[in-house]
């Protein structure tokens, strides 16, 4: 349910949840009970969890403290090395150089 903003003349603004088809023009103020008119304000679109916002946050977080490589990556074929070739069946269908 969307959040709508109402403004009481005495107490100020407050938010209330209503179904989009049942939004009243006025609502009783939760503090004083007076009729509070609905206020049309900017839409609160959230970008907090979008991939772009996460990328920006990650870049800002690591700008001052980048990840540090403490050892040389193991060579392919060495014991314990991570294989560089994918074993996924669908990757086998890809063209090879
Ligand atoms: Zn009030």
């Amino acid at each position: 349910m969307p959040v709508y903003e109402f403004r009481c003349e005495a107490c100020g603004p407050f938010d209330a949840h209503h179904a989009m088809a049942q939004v009243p023009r006025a609502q009783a103020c939760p503090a004083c009970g007076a009729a509070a008119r609905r206020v049309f304000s900017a839409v609160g679109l959230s970008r907090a969890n979008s991939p772009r916002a996460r990328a920006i946050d990650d870049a800002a977080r690591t700008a001052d403290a980048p990840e540090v490589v403490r050892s040389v990556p193991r060579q392919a074929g060495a014991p314990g090395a991570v294989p560089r070739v994918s074993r996924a069946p669908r990757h086998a269908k890809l063209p090879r150089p």
Side-chain angles (χ1 to χ4, degrees):
M1 251 188 272
V3 177
Y4 294 93
E5 184 177 351
F6 294 86
R7 178 177 297 274
C8 173
E9 296 297 329
C11 307
F14 63 92
D15 294 335
H17 294 265
H18 289 284
M20 291 176 77
Q22 301 170 346
V23 184
R25 291 183 178 216
Q27 177 173 340
C29 173
C32 68
R37 289 180 35 205
R38 182 177 165 202
V39 177
F40 291 90
S41 57
V43 178
L45 298 177
S46 175
R47 297 182 196 162
N49 203 19
S50 70
R52 182 172 182 262
R54 277 180 283 171
I56 292 171
D57 290 344
D58 288 346
R61 181 174 41 82
T62 59
D64 295 333
E67 291 184 19
V68 177
V69 177
R70 299 192 186 282
S71 64
V72 176
R74 296 181 189 180
Q75 296 294 320
V82 178
R84 301 183 76 183
V85 177
S86 172
R87 302 281 184 233
R90 62 184 175 186
H91 292 169
K93 297 176 184 175
L94 295 174
R96 300 286 172 209

